Amino acid sequence: MSGGDYVAGKPSNDDASMDRLSTLPNSVLLHVLAGLGDAAAAGRTSVLSGRWRHLWALLPELRFVPRSPKPGLIASALAAHEADLRNLDVTTQDAARETVAAWLRVAARRLAGSLVFTNQDVPRNGRDSDDDDGEGRRSVYDERPRRRGVARDDDDAKQGRGAFELPCLDRATSVSLDLGHLGLTMPRAGAFARLTEFSLINAQLPGGGPCALGDAVSSRRCPCLQRLTIMDVPGVEDLTVRSDSLRHMELTRVRDLRQLAIVAPALEHLQVLLCFYRHWPRRRPVASITARQLKVLKWGDPFDRRSVQLGKKHLEAVCPDLFLVYGIWPNNGCLELLRCFNNIETLSLTLVHPPDINNKPCLLKNMKMLPGVTFLNLSVISNGHAFGASLFHVLRLCSSTRKLTLHISGKGLELEKQTACPPGCICDEQQDWKFEELLLNHLQEVEITELRGYEHEVIFLKHLLGWATELKKMTIFFNSLVTESMARKSYQILRRFSRLEISMDFYMEKSTMTVSYVPKD
């Protein structure tokens, strides 16, 4: 070996200049490019050598992020791509409809899998005021589209934006479109032959378009669709969906809806939330739902049995609209829905105490009957008010419940603030429940989340321990602001009123404190 040709531990000049990475097989190099996480970054590797020039175009997955490339260049990048795409993920900021329409048309020829498109709103100065109807309803269910702290009303979204036609993605399996309030029309022809999931969010659907949304997602054109989500989509007044494959459907803030018709024999889960309020009470909600396999119904809207036909009277789980404990709203929709059922395996009910309840009547007297319930999920939006009387009333109507789950929401109240209402508050006057008898001899398990340890909360739990004569287990998750000493104090109080056989577990979010019940000496 001649001197200078090789030195142990040091590569020769020929070795140092050799591009060993480019000698790897395509499968390995494509894995490297996929790890870059951005189509633009993968495309820039084409300058490395001739071996890399077209390699990025063979990637089965592409992801475009707002920083690169510009929306106008996405169509060019997709046109240069050579392989079928099993996953296309595009995020833009306030993209114009023309650029979105352009790259979607190109993507339709390549896409053979999942498409996720998010057109983010650019933050604006100012926001709409939080108008409240006086009953706390809008503070929980806001009818206006809100994203990332930005409010944009329908008129502003429609100005100068127009609409583009969605191409027929005939080989797509999943499509999620968050359009940032761009206008959209459905394709005039063609079938989404392989589509199983479709999500449409923040889109403007102009009324009287060339193709109704319901027709586009029905079996004739979407024979495999199983999951449908429509959220913050104005412009849909009459929605008719006929699907033999659909199993899960969610309609949220489809705010112009006047009439809904669903014929879906395989449908198991249906949510209708804030779709009919815009026209209520001037117009009753009109809906016809034929779904013999329906198991879960979440109806957060006005309900009238004269105009809403469910077609099925036995469900596993029902979640009606909010129930206002005090106020002028009569809660007719919530009560009307519950009267449709004799028995429900799981009932989820939200009780709302508006911030100002003085001089407002208590509406609980209108709740005179509830279906037979096995699992009761109660959420209480207390706004600082004592809620023992409200829960007592509901539990008296659900005395056959085997498991109670209670979530307590104080609507942002801090522990340092007052833990009791001012003297003379209506909720403080509702004390009769403490002296009435209640037997919950079927209740075996109780789970409570967001407990703050307020006096009125502990008093309710003390009574609950006495009512539930067969209770076996109680689990409590404290609010994150509760200290360990406060949690232990609540535990010490409650276990004095507990039977020996009840297992009591307390959990804290920060330190995950677990305390098992210790029998008294």
Side-chain angles (χ1 to χ4, degrees), residues 23-241:
T23 63
L24 295 172
N26 278 0
S27 59
V28 177
L29 294 181
L30 289 173
H31 184 73
V32 173
L33 292 182
L36 297 177
D38 179 12
R44 287 193 290 269
T45 62
S46 61
V47 304
L48 296 177
S49 68
R51 173 80 167 81
W52 292 78
R53 185 165 301 163
H54 300 290
L55 194 60
W56 73 273
L58 301 177
L59 282 169
E61 300 183 2
L62 288 180
R63 179 172 181 263
F64 296 93
V65 295
R67 63 178 180 271
S68 60
K70 294 182 178 179
L73 300 179
I74 296 177
S76 300
L78 291 173
H81 198 266
E82 301 174 5
D84 284 344
L85 286 169
R86 65 170 179 249
N87 186 16
L88 176 60
D89 190 338
V90 179
T91 303
T92 59
Q93 287 186 339
D94 246 356
R97 62 183 175 90
E98 294 83 2
T99 58
V100 176
W103 68 256
L104 273 173
R105 285 193 296 268
V106 181
R109 299 194 293 266
R110 294 290 183 202
L111 186 65
S114 171
L115 167 65
V116 177
F117 172 49
T118 304
N119 186 30
Q120 297 175 345
D121 283 334
V122 175
R124 299 181 177 187
N125 293 327
R127 64 181 66 180
D128 291 347
S129 62
D130 285 326
D131 297 329
D132 195 285
D133 58 15
E135 300 300 311
R137 185 177 301 269
R138 182 168 291 179
S139 65
V140 181
Y141 283 167
D142 195 333
E143 294 184 81
R144 297 163 296 180
R146 291 184 179 274
R147 298 167 66 245
R148 306 170 187 90
V150 180
R152 180 180 291 183
D153 60 30
D154 295 345
D155 293 336
D156 180 51
K158 291 177 181 176
Q159 288 177 0
R161 291 213 156 203
F164 68 92
E165 182 177 316
L166 179 69
C168 188
L169 305 166
D170 58 344
R171 294 193 295 158
T173 58
S174 174
V175 173
S176 176
L177 303 176
D178 185 342
L179 298 184
H181 306 287
L182 288 177
L184 179 74
T185 61
M186 304 307 290
R188 295 176 173 85
F192 298 82
R194 299 175 56 196
L195 192 66
T196 60
E197 297 186 14
F198 181 58
S199 176
L200 183 61
I201 303 172
N202 289 311
Q204 300 282 340
L205 266 64
C211 177
L213 175 62
D215 178 57
V217 299
S218 292
S219 284
R220 186 175 69 88
R221 301 180 62 190
C222 273
C224 300
L225 187 64
Q226 297 184 19
R227 189 179 185 96
L228 175 64
T229 302
I230 304 174
M231 179 183 297
D232 288 322
V233 178
V236 180
E237 296 184 358
D238 187 342
L239 180 61
T240 299
V241 177

Side-chain angles (χ1 to χ4, degrees), residues 418-465:
Q418 62 184 29
T419 59
C421 296
C425 182
I426 295 177
C427 76
D428 196 41
E429 298 175 358
Q430 304 289 336
Q431 301 293 332
D432 292 346
W433 65 274
K434 298 179 182 178
F435 309 103
E436 295 188 31
E437 295 185 2
L438 177 60
L439 180 61
L440 302 175
N441 58 347
H442 296 278
L443 188 61
Q444 298 182 9
E445 185 176 353
V446 173
E447 181 178 302
I448 301 172
T449 58
E450 291 297 306
L451 189 75
R452 290 162 172 78
Y454 294 164
E455 181 181 4
H456 70 86
E457 296 176 342
V458 175
I459 290 175
F460 168 76
L461 292 180
K462 286 163 51 178
H463 284 277
L464 180 61
L465 288 169

